[in-house]
Every structure is written in C-alpha cells, then in structure tokens.
C-alpha cells in the first residue's frame, strides 16, 4: 500500500472543516509515516490566495510549530488551486495539476497502481455540482477513485434519497465514503472488540438481561457563531440521526459474519430496519435560554438565529428495536447543547438480580465513556470491605488514561482518512444505512414542524429542561441513572 501513487484533493480547502479537521489529520498521518511515500495533497477552493497565505491557513490548527521540520516537509507535498465550483476550465486546470504532480512524483506508466481521493469539505448544496465537475473533467478511469463526503446528507428521507440518487449517478457506491466522525472515535471502534472478543458480554446482550440502554451526548457550549447552520437543522438532525444512531446500531446489531466492511454494514443496516419510527409522545424537546446573571446568551440571542425560532437544541427520545433480542428494551437517546458538562456515554443498564438473597442496592451497568476521557466501567456490587456484611456499589474501572501510559488517541478524522487510504469502508455509512436512519426520524421531524411543537426552555449550563429525568424514567418504564 505504501507504494501507491496517491493524490488527495481537498475541496473547500480554505474553509473551516479543512482547516480544523482535514489538514491536521493529514499532517498527523504524514508525521506518523502513514501516508504513502508518494502522496500529493492539492487544496481547491474559490478564494484567490497566494501559496504562503494558504499554507499559513492550513497550519493554523496544527499542534506543532509551523516552522518545525515535520511541518515544512508536509507543506512540501501541499499545493493550492483556486477555482470556481462550476467552471469546466477550472476543473481542467485541476486535472492538469494532478497530472503534473504525478509526473513529478515519478509516475511510471498508466498500469501503475494509483489512487485519487476527492475530499469534499464543502456544504452539501455544492456536492452534486462539484461531483459532476470531477466526473466530467478530472476523473481518471485508469486509477482507483474515492470520494469523501460529510453530513448533512439531506434534510429528511426524501431529500436524502434525491441526494443519494444524484451522487449515485456520478460515482459507484464503493467509491463513496460518507463520513460520520463518531465512527472514528476510539471508544466507538472499541464496541466491536468488546462485544465480540469477550465471552461474557454476548451471553447477556439481550432483553433477558438488559433493562435499557442510554446514549447520551452533552456539550457545555451553545451554537454561538454557528446559529445560521444549526437553526436549519436542530439537534436531532445535527447529532442524533447520525452520530448517536450509528452508535446505537453497533451496540444493537447481531454479530457480523466477518470483520469485512460489508458484513459489518449489513448487520448495522439489518438492525436499523427493525427500529420503529420515533413517536412524538416519546420525545422531549428543549431550547436553551440565557443564564439569569446574563453571563451566557440564550439560543435566540444569537444574531444569526430568528427571534421566533422553535429549533430544538436539546432532545431526548425513546427508541424501540423490534426484534427478538431487544423487544421491550427502551433505548433512550439524549443530546443537548449548552448543558452542564461535556460528555458522551453509552450506558447499558442490566436487570435486577432475580433472587432475594441480598437487598436490592442498585443495578449493574456497563458504561462506555466515549468522551472526554475514554473509559469502560462496570458498576458492580461487592461486599463492603472489612467486618461488615453490607453491600456496597463499586466499579470495575478501565480508565484508558490510567491504564495506558503515554496514551495518544488520534483524532477521529485521522483514523477515518487512513481507512479511506486503505479502501476500508467499515467505518463509513452506506446509502441503505443512511436511508434507514432517515426513515426512523423523518415522521417525527415532520410532525414537530407541522404541529409547531414548542421546545421547553432550559438555562444555559443546566441539566436540560425541567422534568427530563422523570420523562425518560416514565417513558422507559424503569428508573434510569441520571446522566
Ligand atoms: C458535529 C455537530 O457533527 O459533531 C456539532 O455538527 C457537534 O454540532 C460535533 O458539536 C460533536 O463532535 P465531537 O467530536 O466534538 O464530539
């Protein structure tokens, strides 16, 4: 793999995603020696910029000093082309640049193994325009082509299908890599190993032993500065329909036949098909307001948000997986902006012990903490140490930062770009998965919009709208942990 002549084109190279995620991830891979020896990276965007300005922009989010030898060597493989997104001649120039870079890297002949990666760090409104230009003016049928795109993939089931069809007319499904960056997170990637490399989890991984599952995403900051984007989407489309549902599908799926990407994606899609559309009665919506002391603004205080916006910045909903493994087990998803902490957890709560030997203390739980600090712990009952015969709640605790010295967990984007370089689709969303994800959420989203459901207010920095714990406990029919 290391010898493959590789070209990576980053469209939208002067934008935020490229600056904050794509280029730092590419640099990380370069520094680790994980980019093929002959790689060239071409940034493409509309902004007219001299190369030094571009390079300065590109390095602005690097942790490394821009003058360091590693950064300088990396910049040596970076080029910039400015052009419009709908002008043939501009894309023909890009093709020229790719060809001349390949020659400069020592292209042998047309039979040599070559890869072209088109990373669209762009708003979806131009995906098809750019894809079409690439297909007509840049695409080289003599090499392997991979196209990387990122959400939002549509707005609902129908618009997502239109987008999928249009992109599908330009590229084959196995050329397309739909990023959901949660699939590149260490703890999310760990779910497969945890579930299928240990004998004891799979035995209890069903409705007979598991009472409920809670998938929680909390951010301590609001949408300041992104209000324009966010108001069009809301929290359900922003993180639930994609990141949280992807996590759910890996926790809920049956064992794949193998670790090959299509086997994994088949299993995920299969379980998504069994999820019933979410009901409005099983959903609680919230929108944050400013703090009483005025130190933090409310959602609608943002100039880019309409004053009468009813967009939810918080949502909690209960999902049901209608198959023999999970029937009757509530899956509680909760996500919110401007809450009291930064945390993403998957909490699997087990049933009560079916004997009366000991008084009930609390339930066992397996918790996977995705962020901020990766950890896995099992809430376990033990005898209180010493002469006492009482029970105590304790934890079997695998905190990665304590267990692994010099722990350096790469950013999700670095692992995902490496997967693209390796042609591994396991951690990318297939079009049928995407379709199912929208099927589950679309009726709810349409109902919220048509009935103009008003989100409940909650104060910036709080735990969410009043009654959030009671709501989940009532809908799920069990006492949940307050997370
Ligand atoms: C993005 C959402 O997809 O994920 C953001 O658009 C959210 O609103 C972000 O903040 C969270 O990602 P992470 O990696 O910071 O947990």
């Amino acid at each position: 793999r290391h010898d493959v002549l590789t070209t990576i084109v980053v469209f939208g190279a002067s934008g935020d995603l490229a600056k904050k995620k794509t280029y730092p991830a590419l640099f990380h891979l370069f520094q680790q020696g994980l980019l093929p020896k002959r790689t060239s990276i071409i940034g493409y965007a509309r902004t007219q910029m001299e190369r030094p300005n571009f390079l300065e922009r590109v390095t602005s989010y690097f942790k490394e000093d821009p003058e360091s030898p590693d950064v300088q060597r990396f910049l040596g493989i970076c080029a910039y082309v400015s052009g419009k997104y709908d002008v043939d001649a501009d894309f023909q120039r890009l093709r020229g640049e790719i060809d001349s870079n390949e020659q400069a890297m020592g292209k042998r002949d047309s039979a040599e193994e070559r890869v072209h990666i088109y990373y669209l760090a762009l708003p979806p409104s131009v995906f098809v325009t750019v894809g079409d230009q690439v297909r007509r003016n840049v695409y080289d049928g003599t090499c392997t082509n991979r196209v990387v795109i990122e959400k939002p993939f549509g707005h609902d089931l129908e618009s997502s299908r239109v987008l999928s069809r249009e992109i599908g007319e330009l590229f084959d499904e196995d050329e397309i890599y739909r990023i959901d960056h949660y699939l590149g997170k260490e703890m999310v990637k760990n779910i497969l190993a945890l579930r299928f490399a240990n004998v004891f989890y799979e035995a209890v991984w069903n409705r007979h032993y598991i009472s409920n599952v809670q998938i929680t995403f909390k951010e301590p900051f609001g949408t300041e500065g992104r209000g324009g984007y966010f108001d069009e989407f809301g929290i359900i489309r922003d993180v639930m329909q994609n990141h949280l549902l992807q996590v759910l599908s890996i926790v809920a799926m049956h064992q794949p036949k193998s670790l090959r990407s299509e086997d994994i994606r088949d299993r995920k899609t299969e379980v998504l098909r069994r999820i019933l559309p979410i009901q409005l009665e099983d959903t609680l919506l919230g929108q944050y307001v400013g703090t009483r002391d005025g130190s933090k603004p409310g959602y609608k205080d943002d100039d880019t948000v309409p004053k009468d916006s009813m967009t939810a910045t918080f949502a909690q909903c209960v999902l049901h997986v209608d198959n023999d493994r999970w029937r009757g087990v509530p899956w509680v998803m909760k996500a919110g902006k401007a809450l009291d902490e930064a945390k993403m957890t998957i909490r699997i709560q087990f049933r009560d012990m079916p004997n009366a030997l000991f008084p009930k203390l609390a339930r066992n739980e397996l918790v996977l903490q995705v962020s901020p600090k990766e950890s896995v712990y099992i809430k376990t009952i033990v005898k209180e140490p010493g002469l006492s015969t009482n029970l105590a709640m304790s934890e079997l605790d695998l905190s990665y930062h304590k267990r692994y010295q010099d722990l350096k967990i790469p950013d999700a984007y670095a692992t995902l770009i490496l997967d693209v370089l390796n042609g591994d689709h396991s951690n990318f969303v297939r079009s049928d998965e995407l379709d199912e994800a929208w099927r589950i959420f679309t009726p709810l989203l349409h109902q919220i919009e048509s009935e103009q459901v008003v989100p409940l207010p909650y104060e910036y920095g709080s735990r969410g709208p009043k009654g959030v714990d009671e709501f989940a406990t009532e809908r799920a029919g069990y006492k949940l942990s307050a997370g």
Side-chain angles (χ1 to χ4, degrees):
R1 304 270 84 200
H2 219 64
D3 199 38
V4 179
L5 192 61
T6 304
T7 304
I8 303 171
V9 183
V10 181
F11 291 104
S14 62
D16 254 21
L17 177 64
K19 181 172 75 176
K20 292 186 180 156
K21 297 292 182 186
T22 319
Y23 276 96
L26 287 167
F27 173 61
H28 180 83
L29 294 175
F30 175 82
Q31 213 177 13
Q32 301 294 311
L34 294 170
L35 290 185
K37 280 198 304 284
R38 293 176 302 155
T39 297
S40 100
I41 302 172
I42 305 174
Y44 184 101
R46 283 176 307 189
T47 322
Q48 293 271 359
M49 257 190 290
E50 292 304 320
R51 194 177 133 84
N53 298 350
F54 172 67
L55 297 182
E56 198 182 313
R57 236 190 123 75
V58 157
T59 52
S60 56
Y61 274 74
F62 287 12
K63 292 191 187 96
E64 201 96 352
D65 172 7
E67 297 306 321
S68 74
D70 278 0
V71 175
Q72 291 303 314
R73 277 196 307 123
F74 173 74
L75 296 180
I77 66 167
C78 293
Y80 181 68
V81 174
S82 82
K84 299 237 163 51
Y85 290 134
D86 54 358
V87 174
D88 290 84
D90 290 348
F91 281 79
Q92 285 152 6
R93 256 191 314 116
L94 172 63
R95 172 69 197 251
E97 178 81 15
I98 296 174
D99 290 343
S100 61
N101 277 358
E102 284 190 330
Q103 296 304 337
M105 289 192 290
K107 177 178 170 187
R108 293 179 204 118
D109 52 49
S110 56
E112 176 177 10
E113 200 182 346
R114 292 177 301 126
V115 175
H116 290 172
I117 295 171
Y118 302 104
Y119 191 119
L120 273 57
L122 292 170
S125 53
V126 289
F127 280 176
V128 176
T129 313
V130 171
D132 177 56
Q133 282 292 345
V134 167
R135 198 70 184 83
R136 286 188 297 109
N137 291 312
V138 192
Y139 191 90
D140 179 348
T142 65
C143 72
T144 304
N145 291 280
R146 300 185 180 133
V147 181
V148 184
I149 50 179
E150 188 149 353
K151 74 164 180 86
F153 306 118
H155 209 250
D156 57 10
L157 182 58
E158 207 188 326
S159 52
S160 157
R161 281 187 176 162
V162 170
L163 186 63
S164 287
R165 196 175 51 241
E166 288 175 347
I167 294 178
E169 279 164 13
L170 300 168
F171 304 102
D172 290 340
E173 180 64 24
D174 67 1
E175 292 178 318
I176 301 171
Y177 292 74
R178 290 179 198 82
I179 287 199
D180 182 309
H181 78 283
Y182 266 64
L183 296 178
K185 293 201 182 244
E186 183 66 32
M187 199 45 73
V188 175
K189 291 174 79 174
N190 188 33
I191 302 172
L192 264 188
L194 208 68
R195 286 193 56 193
F196 301 118
N198 292 294
V199 73
F200 45 89
Y201 291 119
E202 200 48 21
V204 295
W205 214 257
N206 57 56
R207 66 192 167 93
H208 301 295
Y209 294 93
I210 291 177
S211 146
N212 61 79
V213 182
Q214 302 161 55
I215 301 177
T216 304
F217 167 99
K218 296 167 91 178
E219 276 183 343
F221 45 84
T223 57
E224 300 96 316
R226 290 177 80 214
Y229 152 81
F230 192 87
D231 201 65
E232 242 188 87
F233 290 89
I235 196 75
I236 296 180
R237 291 183 174 96
D238 189 42
V239 298
M240 282 184 156
Q241 180 269 351
N242 33 67
H243 306 329
L244 271 57
L245 189 66
Q246 282 294 322
V247 169
L248 188 156
S249 70
I250 305 172
V251 176
M253 72 180 187
H254 292 322
Q255 180 173 317
K257 278 193 227 125
S258 78
L259 291 178
R260 279 202 303 270
S261 56
E262 295 322 312
D263 287 338
I264 295 172
R265 301 200 296 179
D266 283 350
R267 284 296 191 233
K268 285 169 65 195
T269 315
E270 180 186 275
V271 78
L272 287 173
R273 285 205 183 101
R274 308 306 306 215
I275 299 181
L276 305 173
I278 304 164
Q279 302 298 309
L280 185 58
E281 307 82 82
D282 288 336
T283 308
L284 179 80
L285 302 174
Q287 188 187 72
Y288 68 88
V289 295
T291 48
R292 255 161 281 173
D293 65 5
S295 60
K296 293 285 182 190
Y299 175 66
K300 287 190 289 208
D301 295 332
D302 190 328
D303 287 342
T304 53
V305 172
K307 292 290 164 247
D308 57 352
S309 169
M310 291 208 281
T311 302
T313 59
F314 173 99
Q316 182 173 42
C317 48
V318 184
L319 287 83
H320 298 278
V321 183
D322 189 27
N323 65 11
D324 288 348
R325 190 195 280 256
W326 296 117
R327 198 162 294 119
V329 176
W331 294 71
V332 182
M333 261 189 199
K334 178 161 82 180
K337 302 259 172 199
L339 292 177
D340 57 335
E341 57 181 344
K343 207 179 228 179
M344 160 79 193
T345 53
I346 306 160
R347 186 178 290 270
I348 294 146
Q349 189 177 87
F350 291 90
R351 291 192 183 279
D352 290 324
M353 191 66 186
N355 66 34
L357 275 188
F358 289 102
K360 286 199 189 358
L361 190 62
R363 284 176 168 175
N364 294 128
E365 287 182 355
L366 166 66
V367 182
L368 276 68
Q369 184 153 314
V370 177
S371 64
K373 286 196 164 149
E374 290 80 359
S375 53
V376 182
Y377 56 92
I378 305 179
K379 295 202 155 200
T380 306
I381 292 166
V382 296
K383 187 189 85 58
E384 213 169 65
L387 294 177
S388 158
T389 53
N390 290 343
L391 300 181
M393 198 67 201
S394 192
E395 278 164 9
L396 302 178
D397 180 2
L398 170 59
S399 292
Y400 277 31
H401 59 285
K402 287 189 212 142
R403 176 68 179 77
Y404 300 105
Q405 266 86 49
D406 299 326
L407 178 71
K408 282 204 188 67
I409 293 184
D411 185 70
Y413 280 85
T415 85
L416 293 175
I417 294 176
L418 187 60
D419 285 344
V420 176
L421 287 162
N422 291 330
D424 181 352
H425 276 98
S426 317
N427 297 311
F428 296 85
V429 182
R430 207 166 61 187
S431 79
D432 51 354
E433 262 182 273
L434 178 63
D435 207 67
E436 289 302 324
W438 278 121
R439 177 193 58 75
I440 295 165
F441 281 94
T442 296
L444 173 71
L445 289 163
H446 285 175
Q447 196 177 355
I448 292 172
E449 280 146 16
S450 67
E451 293 181 16
Q452 306 205 322
V453 180
V454 182
L456 300 174
Y458 62 97
E459 196 178 341
Y460 196 123
S462 67
R463 297 189 59 251
K466 204 158 155 266
V468 48
D469 297 329
E470 295 75 5
F471 179 89
T473 298
E474 196 185 294
R475 291 302 181 291
Y478 299 96
K479 171 101 185 77
L480 307 179
S481 310

